[in-house]
Structure formats: structure tokens, C-alpha cells
Amino acid sequence: MKAIQITGERQIQVVDVPEQEMKAGDVKVRLQYVGFCGSDLNTYLGRNPMVKMPVIPGHEVGAVIEAVGSDVPEHLQPGMVVTVNPYTACGKCASCRNRRPNACQHNETLGVQRNGAMRETIVLPWEKIIPAEQLTPKVCALVEPMSVGFHAVDRAQVTDNDVVMVIGCGMVGMGAVVRAVLRGATVIAADIDDEKLALAREMGATYAVNTLRSPNPLPSGEGWGGAPSVVIEAVGSVPTYQMAIDVVDFTGRVVCIGYAKTEVSFQTKYFVQKELDIRGSRNALPQDFRAVIRYLERGTCPIDRLISRVVSPEEAPQAMEEWAAAPGKVFRILTKF
């Protein structure tokens, strides 16, 4: 069957791979849309140390169940539209024992530590299959990245009393914007791209700040005062990590999603003086996936504006090269199988 494989730095190709065998408890899904995410771009650019080449990328899935093995619950049937939980959990480490398998010490995400979903079919344990019958497979491919943002808002314990700044309005950051809005918080969207900021406003953010142009990353003008009680860092850069610590209010919470590529220096006095809660947020839990699906079922999300491009497997190499040249202009590239 046809698959996309990254074989080295800026080397990506379409290859033929054998179909996987099914065993008891397995479900075989036929991929229809699979999204390229930031980790796939880093893999393509040779900047992802967690990947062992060659690798089939992809963990943002919109698919249809093709076959079910024995010992699979009856609620999973051929023909169902589904997405996929792409993470693994060992069940034994501290994270798993504390019921946070999304942060499993030995996690292997599809397309990162193991071959992913950029192929015509994939076989997975039934527990990883998430039904989304009211959505199309194309929309399902957006569920996983938005769920990462949803999870970060949950980690921040956001309520309607909070002012939440989301730094970085890509797909993950946009998920954080949406869930913070759904929880009744006042949301400040921060980014360096005006198009993304306009979309964040459309998706519920009260304020939008272009941090490239503004010396003050906080809103100004009538009706604004104070500082955010929650800051969610969804970029992964030295300046944005430092900004998060600088702007958050006293006794606030900072939630970190992005991976900075270099070491970050902080004025640690702020940790103490502000008595901050600094929390990591990794991947997502099944309930985050379900929450995103419920949101998308409303039909209010501007799906077409979140999908920058749909390509065939043969067009993927050119699409990745163009994305690498202008990374800030892309929400999601979907591969259609």
C-alpha cells in the first residue's frame, strides 16, 4: 500500500509498504485525511531528536473503520467515521499510575517514536479508536491538534473568573483559545501574524495583540486593566517563554506546551515573588478528544480557514518544502488518501 516516508533531512517520498496484519482486539481503519503537524515539519528539517529515520509521519487522523478483529466492542463497526488517539502508555510509570497516561514516560506517538498514519490503512488497538460519526473525516483530522490546546486549558484549571493569554495562534494555540472561551474566560490572543489574530478573534478571543509590532504584549485602552491570571505558551521559543513569565499576574499560572529548541534564561525572582504555578502540558487525554469533537459538532468552527492546503501523497514533498520556507503562514496541511 501507498505511504509517505521521511528518510532524512528534507528527504520525503512516497513508498510502498505491506499492509499490517490484524489480531484480536485490533481495528483496521482506512485513512482519508491525515494532517502534517509541527513535529512532522521538524522531522523533515532534521530537528526532531525523538525520531529514528526512516519514519512514516502523521498522527492527526480522519478515517473510516474498514474491519474489526475479534474481541472488539460492538460499538465499533465498519463504516464508522473515526479519529485516533495516537499515543501509547506503559501503564507502569509515575504518569500512568497517576492517571495521566498522556504524559507516559515511555510514550510512543504515531509518526514520531513509531511509524505513523500517512498511509492508506493502519491497524491499531480498539482502545485507540475514537468515534466521531457526526463529523466528516476531513474535520476529524483537526481533532488531535485542537485537543492538545484543550488539554492545556484543563491543566491551567481555567474558569470564568480568569483572563487567559494564549501566546501563539497556530492550531494548538487556537484550540486553547476555543476552550478558554468555552469556559467563560476573557481571552487575549498573542501572535505575530495578523491573519491568525483575526481568526482568533472570530473564534472568541476578546483581545488580539501583535507582539511583533507592540512593545507592550498586553492590551491597552478602555475596559482593560491588570494582567492575565493564566498564560499558555504555545510557540516554543526563548522570547515567548520569557514573555509568559513577565506578563502573568501575581499568583498566576503559566502552562507550557511549546518545545524551545535552545535553553531559556529566566529572572527566577519572578517565580518566587509572584508565587507562580508553572505547569507543563503534554499531548491530550481521551476526554479532551471528546470535548473537541463536541465543539466541532456545533458547526460553528471556521474549518476551511484552519486548513491551509489539501494535497495528494505525491504532492507532499513540495508542500513540505513550501511550508518550511514560510512556517508562520500555515495552520494545517492535510494529505488526502
Side-chain angles (χ1 to χ4, degrees), residues 156 158 162-167 188 216-219 224-233 239-256 266-279:
V158 170
D162 284 309
V163 174
V164 178
M165 171 179 268
V166 178
I167 305 175
I188 308 164
N216 182 2
L218 296 177
W224 170 255
S229 52
V230 173
V231 176
I232 295 175
E233 199 289 333
T240 53
Y241 261 84
Q242 292 171 335
M243 182 195 305
I245 300 299
D246 289 344
V247 303
V248 70
D249 209 350
F250 277 65
T251 68
R253 289 97 75 199
V254 176
V255 176
C256 307
F266 293 104
Q267 290 287 344
T268 54
K269 66 179 182 180
Y270 293 139
F271 298 3
V272 179
Q273 289 177 352
K274 294 185 178 182
E275 199 173 47
L276 299 179
D277 288 339
I278 302 173
R279 306 173 184 179

Short mmCIF file of all heavy atoms in Angstrom, two decimals, residues 156 158 162-167 188 216-219 224-233 239-256 266-279:
data_model
loop_
_atom_site.label_atom_id
_atom_site.label_comp_id
_atom_site.label_asym_id
_atom_site.label_seq_id
_atom_site.Cartn_x
_atom_site.Cartn_y
_atom_site.Cartn_z
N ALA A 156 -4.49 24.32 33.17
CA ALA A 156 -4.49 25.63 33.82
C ALA A 156 -5.67 25.83 34.74
O ALA A 156 -5.75 26.85 35.43
CB ALA A 156 -4.48 26.73 32.76
N VAL A 158 -8.74 26.62 34.10
CA VAL A 158 -9.36 27.89 33.72
C VAL A 158 -10.84 27.91 34.10
O VAL A 158 -11.57 26.93 33.89
CB VAL A 158 -9.20 28.13 32.21
CG1 VAL A 158 -10.04 29.32 31.74
CG2 VAL A 158 -7.73 28.35 31.87
N ASP A 162 -11.14 33.93 35.03
CA ASP A 162 -9.77 34.12 34.55
C ASP A 162 -9.69 35.01 33.32
O ASP A 162 -10.61 35.06 32.49
CB ASP A 162 -9.15 32.76 34.20
CG ASP A 162 -8.73 31.97 35.44
OD1 ASP A 162 -8.03 32.55 36.28
OD2 ASP A 162 -9.13 30.79 35.55
N VAL A 163 -8.54 35.68 33.22
CA VAL A 163 -8.09 36.30 31.98
C VAL A 163 -6.94 35.44 31.46
O VAL A 163 -5.95 35.23 32.17
CB VAL A 163 -7.62 37.75 32.19
CG1 VAL A 163 -7.04 38.32 30.90
CG2 VAL A 163 -8.76 38.61 32.70
N VAL A 164 -7.10 34.91 30.26
CA VAL A 164 -6.16 33.93 29.71
C VAL A 164 -5.46 34.53 28.50
O VAL A 164 -6.12 34.93 27.53
CB VAL A 164 -6.87 32.62 29.31
CG1 VAL A 164 -5.86 31.64 28.71
CG2 VAL A 164 -7.58 32.01 30.51
N MET A 165 -4.14 34.58 28.53
CA MET A 165 -3.38 34.95 27.34
C MET A 165 -2.85 33.68 26.69
O MET A 165 -2.21 32.86 27.36
CB MET A 165 -2.21 35.88 27.67
CG MET A 165 -1.28 36.11 26.48
SD MET A 165 0.10 37.22 26.83
CE MET A 165 -0.64 38.77 26.33
N VAL A 166 -3.12 33.53 25.40
CA VAL A 166 -2.58 32.42 24.62
C VAL A 166 -1.52 32.98 23.69
O VAL A 166 -1.83 33.79 22.80
CB VAL A 166 -3.68 31.69 23.82
CG1 VAL A 166 -3.07 30.56 22.99
CG2 VAL A 166 -4.75 31.14 24.76
N ILE A 167 -0.27 32.58 23.89
CA ILE A 167 0.82 33.05 23.05
C ILE A 167 1.06 32.02 21.95
O ILE A 167 1.50 30.90 22.21
CB ILE A 167 2.11 33.24 23.87
CG1 ILE A 167 1.87 34.19 25.05
CG2 ILE A 167 3.22 33.78 22.99
CD1 ILE A 167 3.07 34.34 25.97
N ILE A 188 -6.99 36.73 25.66
CA ILE A 188 -6.09 37.57 24.88
C ILE A 188 -5.30 36.66 23.95
O ILE A 188 -4.59 35.76 24.41
CB ILE A 188 -5.09 38.32 25.79
CG1 ILE A 188 -5.80 39.06 26.91
CG2 ILE A 188 -4.22 39.27 24.96
CD1 ILE A 188 -4.85 39.48 28.04
N ASN A 216 4.31 46.53 24.12
CA ASN A 216 3.61 46.01 25.29
C ASN A 216 2.73 44.85 24.85
O ASN A 216 1.81 45.04 24.05
CB ASN A 216 2.75 47.10 25.93
CG ASN A 216 2.03 46.60 27.18
OD1 ASN A 216 2.19 45.46 27.59
ND2 ASN A 216 1.23 47.47 27.78
N PRO A 217 3.01 43.63 25.31
CA PRO A 217 2.24 42.48 24.84
C PRO A 217 0.82 42.40 25.40
O PRO A 217 0.06 41.51 25.03
CB PRO A 217 3.06 41.28 25.31
CG PRO A 217 3.78 41.78 26.53
CD PRO A 217 4.08 43.22 26.25
N LEU A 218 0.46 43.32 26.30
CA LEU A 218 -0.88 43.31 26.87
C LEU A 218 -1.77 44.33 26.16
O LEU A 218 -1.28 45.33 25.62
CB LEU A 218 -0.82 43.62 28.37
CG LEU A 218 -0.09 42.59 29.22
CD1 LEU A 218 -0.04 43.05 30.67
CD2 LEU A 218 -0.74 41.22 29.12
N PRO A 219 -3.07 44.09 26.14
CA PRO A 219 -3.99 45.04 25.51
C PRO A 219 -3.94 46.39 26.20
O PRO A 219 -3.50 46.51 27.35
CB PRO A 219 -5.36 44.38 25.68
CG PRO A 219 -5.08 42.96 25.96
CD PRO A 219 -3.77 42.92 26.67
N TRP A 224 -9.66 47.79 29.77
CA TRP A 224 -8.61 46.82 30.09
C TRP A 224 -7.81 47.28 31.30
O TRP A 224 -7.49 48.44 31.46
CB TRP A 224 -7.66 46.64 28.90
CG TRP A 224 -6.47 45.83 29.31
CD1 TRP A 224 -5.21 46.26 29.54
CD2 TRP A 224 -6.46 44.43 29.60
NE1 TRP A 224 -4.40 45.24 29.95
CE2 TRP A 224 -5.14 44.09 29.99
CE3 TRP A 224 -7.43 43.44 29.57
CZ2 TRP A 224 -4.78 42.80 30.35
CZ3 TRP A 224 -7.07 42.14 29.93
CH2 TRP A 224 -5.76 41.84 30.31
N GLY A 225 -7.45 46.33 32.10
CA GLY A 225 -6.60 46.65 33.24
C GLY A 225 -6.07 45.38 33.84
O GLY A 225 -6.67 44.31 33.73
N GLY A 226 -4.92 45.46 34.48
CA GLY A 226 -4.37 44.29 35.14
C GLY A 226 -3.51 43.45 34.23
O GLY A 226 -2.98 43.90 33.22
N ALA A 227 -3.37 42.18 34.57
CA ALA A 227 -2.54 41.24 33.84
C ALA A 227 -3.26 39.89 33.79
O ALA A 227 -4.15 39.62 34.60
CB ALA A 227 -1.18 41.10 34.53
N PRO A 228 -2.91 39.02 32.86
CA PRO A 228 -3.60 37.73 32.77
C PRO A 228 -3.29 36.83 33.96
O PRO A 228 -2.15 36.76 34.43
CB PRO A 228 -3.06 37.13 31.47
CG PRO A 228 -1.76 37.82 31.23
CD PRO A 228 -1.93 39.20 31.78
N SER A 229 -4.31 36.17 34.44
CA SER A 229 -4.12 35.20 35.53
C SER A 229 -3.58 33.88 35.01
O SER A 229 -3.02 33.09 35.78
CB SER A 229 -5.45 34.96 36.26
OG SER A 229 -6.47 34.62 35.34
N VAL A 230 -3.72 33.65 33.70
CA VAL A 230 -3.21 32.43 33.07
C VAL A 230 -2.51 32.83 31.77
O VAL A 230 -3.04 33.63 31.00
CB VAL A 230 -4.35 31.44 32.75
CG1 VAL A 230 -3.81 30.25 31.93
CG2 VAL A 230 -5.01 30.94 34.03
N VAL A 231 -1.33 32.27 31.54
CA VAL A 231 -0.66 32.41 30.25
C VAL A 231 -0.35 31.02 29.72
O VAL A 231 0.22 30.18 30.45
CB VAL A 231 0.64 33.23 30.35
CG1 VAL A 231 1.34 33.27 28.99
CG2 VAL A 231 0.35 34.65 30.83
N ILE A 232 -0.74 30.76 28.47
CA ILE A 232 -0.47 29.48 27.82
C ILE A 232 0.54 29.72 26.71
O ILE A 232 0.26 30.48 25.77
CB ILE A 232 -1.76 28.85 27.28
CG1 ILE A 232 -2.69 28.51 28.46
CG2 ILE A 232 -1.45 27.59 26.45
CD1 ILE A 232 -4.05 27.99 28.04
N GLU A 233 1.70 29.11 26.83
CA GLU A 233 2.77 29.28 25.84
C GLU A 233 2.65 28.17 24.81
O GLU A 233 2.84 26.99 25.12
CB GLU A 233 4.13 29.22 26.54
CG GLU A 233 5.28 29.81 25.76
CD GLU A 233 5.71 29.01 24.55
OE1 GLU A 233 5.51 27.78 24.55
OE2 GLU A 233 6.27 29.60 23.62
N PRO A 239 11.94 33.98 23.41
CA PRO A 239 11.19 35.20 23.77
C PRO A 239 9.79 34.92 24.31
O PRO A 239 9.33 35.63 25.21
CB PRO A 239 11.13 35.97 22.44
CG PRO A 239 12.25 35.44 21.62
CD PRO A 239 12.37 34.00 22.00
N THR A 240 9.10 33.92 23.76
CA THR A 240 7.73 33.68 24.22
C THR A 240 7.69 33.04 25.60
O THR A 240 6.79 33.32 26.39
CB THR A 240 6.95 32.82 23.20
OG1 THR A 240 7.70 31.62 22.91
CG2 THR A 240 6.71 33.60 21.91
N TYR A 241 8.66 32.20 25.91
CA TYR A 241 8.74 31.66 27.27
C TYR A 241 9.01 32.77 28.27
O TYR A 241 8.39 32.84 29.34
CB TYR A 241 9.83 30.59 27.35
CG TYR A 241 9.30 29.17 27.27
CD1 TYR A 241 9.06 28.57 26.03
CD2 TYR A 241 9.03 28.44 28.41
CE1 TYR A 241 8.58 27.28 25.94
CE2 TYR A 241 8.54 27.14 28.34
CZ TYR A 241 8.32 26.57 27.10
OH TYR A 241 7.81 25.28 27.02
N GLN A 242 9.92 33.66 27.92
CA GLN A 242 10.23 34.76 28.82
C GLN A 242 9.05 35.71 28.95
O GLN A 242 8.76 36.21 30.04
CB GLN A 242 11.48 35.49 28.32
CG GLN A 242 12.74 34.64 28.42
CD GLN A 242 13.95 35.27 27.74
OE1 GLN A 242 13.81 36.06 26.81
NE2 GLN A 242 15.14 34.90 28.19
N MET A 243 8.35 35.95 27.85
CA MET A 243 7.17 36.81 27.89
C MET A 243 6.12 36.24 28.83
O MET A 243 5.48 36.98 29.59
CB MET A 243 6.56 36.95 26.48
CG MET A 243 5.35 37.86 26.43
SD MET A 243 4.40 37.67 24.90
CE MET A 243 5.67 37.95 23.68
N ALA A 244 5.92 34.93 28.79
CA ALA A 244 4.91 34.30 29.63
C ALA A 244 5.16 34.59 31.11
O ALA A 244 4.23 34.92 31.87
CB ALA A 244 4.89 32.80 29.37
N ILE A 245 6.41 34.48 31.53
CA ILE A 245 6.76 34.72 32.93
C ILE A 245 6.64 36.21 33.26
O ILE A 245 6.19 36.60 34.34
CB ILE A 245 8.18 34.22 33.24
CG1 ILE A 245 8.29 32.72 32.98
CG2 ILE A 245 8.58 34.56 34.67
CD1 ILE A 245 7.36 31.86 33.82
N ASP A 246 7.02 37.07 32.31
CA ASP A 246 6.99 38.51 32.56
C ASP A 246 5.56 39.04 32.71
O ASP A 246 5.30 39.88 33.59
CB ASP A 246 7.68 39.26 31.42
CG ASP A 246 9.19 39.06 31.42
OD1 ASP A 246 9.72 38.61 32.45
OD2 ASP A 246 9.82 39.34 30.38
N VAL A 247 4.63 38.59 31.87
CA VAL A 247 3.32 39.23 31.81
C VAL A 247 2.29 38.62 32.76
O VAL A 247 1.30 39.26 33.10
CB VAL A 247 2.74 39.23 30.38
CG1 VAL A 247 3.69 39.91 29.43
CG2 VAL A 247 2.40 37.83 29.91
N VAL A 248 2.47 37.37 33.18
CA VAL A 248 1.46 36.73 34.01
C VAL A 248 1.32 37.47 35.34
O VAL A 248 2.30 38.00 35.89
CB VAL A 248 1.78 35.24 34.23
CG1 VAL A 248 3.00 35.06 35.15
CG2 VAL A 248 0.58 34.50 34.78
N ASP A 249 0.13 37.50 35.85
CA ASP A 249 -0.16 38.23 37.09
C ASP A 249 0.44 37.49 38.30
O ASP A 249 0.81 36.31 38.21
CB ASP A 249 -1.67 38.37 37.27
CG ASP A 249 -2.05 39.62 38.06
OD1 ASP A 249 -1.15 40.27 38.62
OD2 ASP A 249 -3.26 39.92 38.11
N PHE A 250 0.53 38.19 39.40
CA PHE A 250 0.95 37.57 40.66
C PHE A 250 0.00 36.43 41.01
O PHE A 250 -1.22 36.55 40.84
CB PHE A 250 0.99 38.61 41.77
CG PHE A 250 2.25 39.43 41.80
CD1 PHE A 250 2.57 40.28 40.75
CD2 PHE A 250 3.14 39.32 42.87
CE1 PHE A 250 3.74 41.01 40.77
CE2 PHE A 250 4.32 40.05 42.88
CZ PHE A 250 4.62 40.90 41.84
N THR A 251 0.56 35.34 41.48
CA THR A 251 -0.14 34.09 41.81
C THR A 251 -0.81 33.47 40.59
O THR A 251 -1.76 32.69 40.72
CB THR A 251 -1.17 34.25 42.96
OG1 THR A 251 -2.27 35.07 42.51
CG2 THR A 251 -0.54 34.86 44.19
N GLY A 252 -0.31 33.78 39.42
CA GLY A 252 -0.89 33.25 38.20
C GLY A 252 -0.36 31.87 37.85
O GLY A 252 0.50 31.29 38.54
N ARG A 253 -0.90 31.33 36.75
CA ARG A 253 -0.49 30.01 36.24
C ARG A 253 0.07 30.17 34.84
O ARG A 253 -0.55 30.82 33.99
CB ARG A 253 -1.67 29.04 36.19
CG ARG A 253 -2.16 28.56 37.55
CD ARG A 253 -3.35 29.35 38.02
NE ARG A 253 -4.59 29.00 37.32
CZ ARG A 253 -5.66 29.79 37.31
NH1 ARG A 253 -5.65 30.97 37.92
NH2 ARG A 253 -6.76 29.41 36.68
N VAL A 254 1.22 29.55 34.60
CA VAL A 254 1.83 29.51 33.27
C VAL A 254 1.84 28.06 32.82
O VAL A 254 2.37 27.19 33.52
CB VAL A 254 3.26 30.08 33.28
CG1 VAL A 254 3.90 29.92 31.90
CG2 VAL A 254 3.26 31.54 33.71
N VAL A 255 1.24 27.80 31.66
CA VAL A 255 1.20 26.44 31.13
C VAL A 255 2.02 26.40 29.85
O VAL A 255 1.81 27.21 28.93
CB VAL A 255 -0.25 25.98 30.86
CG1 VAL A 255 -0.26 24.60 30.21
CG2 VAL A 255 -1.02 25.94 32.17
N CYS A 256 2.96 25.47 29.78
CA CYS A 256 3.91 25.38 28.68
C CYS A 256 3.59 24.20 27.77
O CYS A 256 3.60 23.05 28.24
CB CYS A 256 5.32 25.24 29.22
SG CYS A 256 5.77 26.51 30.44
N PHE A 266 15.78 32.72 32.64
CA PHE A 266 14.67 33.40 33.30
C PHE A 266 15.19 34.26 34.46
O PHE A 266 16.20 33.95 35.08
CB PHE A 266 13.67 32.40 33.88
CG PHE A 266 12.92 31.61 32.86
CD1 PHE A 266 13.25 30.28 32.62
CD2 PHE A 266 11.87 32.17 32.14
CE1 PHE A 266 12.56 29.54 31.69
CE2 PHE A 266 11.18 31.44 31.21
CZ PHE A 266 11.52 30.12 30.98
N GLN A 267 14.43 35.32 34.75
CA GLN A 267 14.58 36.02 36.01
C GLN A 267 13.80 35.23 37.05
O GLN A 267 12.60 35.41 37.22
CB GLN A 267 14.04 37.45 35.89
CG GLN A 267 14.87 38.36 35.02
CD GLN A 267 16.17 38.77 35.70
OE1 GLN A 267 16.31 38.61 36.91
NE2 GLN A 267 17.10 39.28 34.92
N THR A 268 14.48 34.32 37.73
CA THR A 268 13.77 33.40 38.61
C THR A 268 13.14 34.10 39.82
O THR A 268 12.29 33.51 40.49
CB THR A 268 14.72 32.29 39.11
OG1 THR A 268 15.87 32.88 39.71
CG2 THR A 268 15.15 31.42 37.95
N LYS A 269 13.52 35.36 40.07
CA LYS A 269 12.86 36.08 41.16
C LYS A 269 11.35 36.17 40.94
O LYS A 269 10.58 36.20 41.89
CB LYS A 269 13.45 37.48 41.32
CG LYS A 269 13.20 38.41 40.13
CD LYS A 269 13.80 39.80 40.37
CE LYS A 269 13.51 40.74 39.21
NZ LYS A 269 14.10 42.08 39.42
N TYR A 270 10.93 36.18 39.64
CA TYR A 270 9.50 36.26 39.36
C TYR A 270 8.78 34.99 39.79
O TYR A 270 7.62 35.02 40.17
CB TYR A 270 9.25 36.53 37.88
CG TYR A 270 9.71 37.89 37.42
CD1 TYR A 270 10.34 38.05 36.20
CD2 TYR A 270 9.53 39.03 38.21
CE1 TYR A 270 10.77 39.30 35.77
CE2 TYR A 270 9.95 40.28 37.79
CZ TYR A 270 10.58 40.40 36.56
OH TYR A 270 11.00 41.64 36.14
N PHE A 271 9.47 33.85 39.69
CA PHE A 271 8.85 32.61 40.15
C PHE A 271 8.44 32.73 41.61
O PHE A 271 7.36 32.30 42.02
CB PHE A 271 9.82 31.42 40.02
CG PHE A 271 10.28 31.10 38.63
CD1 PHE A 271 9.91 31.85 37.53
CD2 PHE A 271 11.12 30.02 38.42
CE1 PHE A 271 10.34 31.53 36.25
CE2 PHE A 271 11.57 29.69 37.15
CZ PHE A 271 11.18 30.45 36.06
N VAL A 272 9.35 33.34 42.38
CA VAL A 272 9.15 33.42 43.83
C VAL A 272 8.25 34.61 44.18
O VAL A 272 7.27 34.46 44.91
CB VAL A 272 10.51 33.54 44.55
CG1 VAL A 272 10.30 33.66 46.05
CG2 VAL A 272 11.38 32.33 44.23
N GLN A 273 8.58 35.78 43.67
CA GLN A 273 7.83 36.98 44.03
C GLN A 273 6.36 36.87 43.64
O GLN A 273 5.47 37.30 44.39
CB GLN A 273 8.46 38.21 43.38
CG GLN A 273 9.81 38.60 43.97
CD GLN A 273 10.43 39.77 43.23
OE1 GLN A 273 9.95 40.21 42.19
NE2 GLN A 273 11.52 40.29 43.78
N LYS A 274 6.11 36.31 42.48
CA LYS A 274 4.73 36.16 42.03
C LYS A 274 4.07 34.88 42.56
O LYS A 274 2.87 34.68 42.38
CB LYS A 274 4.67 36.15 40.49
CG LYS A 274 5.07 37.46 39.83
CD LYS A 274 4.86 37.37 38.32
CE LYS A 274 5.19 38.66 37.62
NZ LYS A 274 4.93 38.60 36.15
N GLU A 275 4.86 34.02 43.17
CA GLU A 275 4.39 32.71 43.62
C GLU A 275 3.61 32.01 42.49
O GLU A 275 2.43 31.65 42.61
CB GLU A 275 3.53 32.81 44.88
CG GLU A 275 3.43 31.46 45.59
CD GLU A 275 2.72 31.54 46.92
OE1 GLU A 275 1.64 32.16 46.98
OE2 GLU A 275 3.24 30.96 47.89
N LEU A 276 4.32 31.79 41.40
CA LEU A 276 3.71 31.25 40.19
C LEU A 276 3.53 29.74 40.26
O LEU A 276 4.31 29.02 40.89
CB LEU A 276 4.57 31.60 38.97
CG LEU A 276 4.78 33.07 38.67
CD1 LEU A 276 5.67 33.23 37.44
CD2 LEU A 276 3.45 33.78 38.47
N ASP A 277 2.51 29.26 39.57
CA ASP A 277 2.37 27.84 39.25
C ASP A 277 2.80 27.69 37.79
O ASP A 277 2.18 28.25 36.90
CB ASP A 277 0.93 27.38 39.40
CG ASP A 277 0.49 27.30 40.85
OD1 ASP A 277 1.37 27.22 41.72
OD2 ASP A 277 -0.72 27.34 41.10
N ILE A 278 3.88 26.94 37.55
CA ILE A 278 4.38 26.71 36.19
C ILE A 278 4.17 25.25 35.87
O ILE A 278 4.70 24.36 36.55
CB ILE A 278 5.86 27.10 36.08
CG1 ILE A 278 6.04 28.57 36.46
CG2 ILE A 278 6.37 26.85 34.66
CD1 ILE A 278 7.48 29.02 36.55
N ARG A 279 3.40 24.99 34.84
CA ARG A 279 2.95 23.63 34.57
C ARG A 279 3.25 23.25 33.12
O ARG A 279 3.06 24.06 32.21
CB ARG A 279 1.44 23.48 34.82
CG ARG A 279 1.03 23.93 36.20
CD ARG A 279 -0.47 23.94 36.38
NE ARG A 279 -0.82 24.48 37.71
CZ ARG A 279 -2.05 24.63 38.15
NH1 ARG A 279 -3.08 24.30 37.38
NH2 ARG A 279 -2.27 25.10 39.36
#
